[in-house]
Amino acid sequence: MHSTHIVYFVLGLTVGGLWVQAEIQKPITEQCLICMCEALSGCNATAVCVNGACGIFRITWDQWVDSGRLTIPGDSPLTDSSFTNCANDPYCAADTLQSYMVKYGQDCNDDAKEDCYDYGAIHYMGPFNCKADMPYTYESIFRRCLRNAMRDDKRQKSS
Ligand SMILES: *[C@@H]1O[C@H](CO)[C@@H](O)[C@H](O)[C@H]1NC(C)=O
């Protein structure tokens, strides 16, 4: 084997290994993420922080730190702006929530499954208070979005 081929081969293994490591678990479905942002911000992608909670999912600094300080490409995990940059980036913010639910996912409403309702409650009220009632407006938008998604899903399957 030519030496440059060996270099590429080793590089490939290394990058491959990093890739597997960087691949994070994703317990939250795409549809669930959509309904969460719908209820939290109307999925308004304008970069904004409301009372310290930023982006379409209104992620807080504490959640970001707790989730492993994910960053957009090129940012350092150690600066304050990395938090707002990540929370205001839909992909980085979604991955942050995924990693948060890997850590804190649980059955909050005692229906014997861990699903989108639980994630919505955990994100809004915190992992240690997720059995409490969700605020009315948040819950009604969230549930309506999930109901509509299920209905569209059935319609697609039957057509
Ligand atoms: C999105 O949020 C920004 C900042 O809060 C606001 O100015 C804008 O009107 C919102 N857009 C929509 C479509 O609601």
Side-chain angles (χ1 to χ4, degrees):
M1 216 196 284
H2 195 274
S3 67
T4 51
H5 286 142
I6 295 172
V7 170
Y8 283 128
F9 180 68
V10 171
L11 211 65
L13 282 183
T14 311
V15 171
L18 287 177
W19 178 251
V20 170
Q21 244 180 13
E23 189 90 44
I24 65 166
Q25 278 177 276
K26 300 195 171 182
I28 318 173
T29 63
E30 195 76 10
Q31 188 56 57
C32 181
L33 285 171
I34 291 171
C35 289
M36 283 170 89
C37 84
E38 189 67 42
L40 291 159
S41 70
C43 297
N44 182 339
T46 308
V48 67
C49 297
V50 180
N51 300 324
C54 305
I56 54 171
F57 298 112
R58 301 291 190 254
I59 288 174
T60 64
W61 165 267
D62 286 347
Q63 283 180 314
W64 179 70
V65 170
D66 234 0
S67 308
R69 295 172 177 258
L70 302 182
T71 63
I72 59 169
D75 259 6
S76 148
L78 298 176
T79 59
D80 283 5
S81 61
S82 300
F83 157 60
T84 43
N85 289 345
C86 177
N88 281 315
D89 176 83
Y91 296 100
C92 194
D95 283 350
T96 297
L97 279 187
Q98 297 286 13
S99 145
Y100 194 76
M101 294 311 162
V102 168
K103 194 166 173 184
Y104 290 117
Q106 58 187 295
D107 174 18
C108 299
N109 57 359
D110 294 322
D111 63 354
K113 52 185 191 267
E114 183 187 311
D115 61 12
C116 191
Y117 291 104
D118 302 309
Y119 299 142
I122 293 165
H123 177 47
Y124 200 98
M125 299 180 297
F128 307 109
N129 190 37
C130 72
K131 288 178 191 291
D133 290 332
M134 295 189 216
Y136 179 77
T137 310
Y138 174 70
E139 178 168 23
S140 57
I141 299 173
F142 188 54
R143 285 188 180 270
R144 188 184 338 120
C145 176
L146 288 176
R147 259 199 317 274
N148 289 345
M150 259 189 304
R151 201 190 50 211
D152 291 348
D153 203 39
K154 278 198 194 111
R155 194 180 294 153
Q156 257 171 15
K157 277 184 189 133
S158 63
S159 64

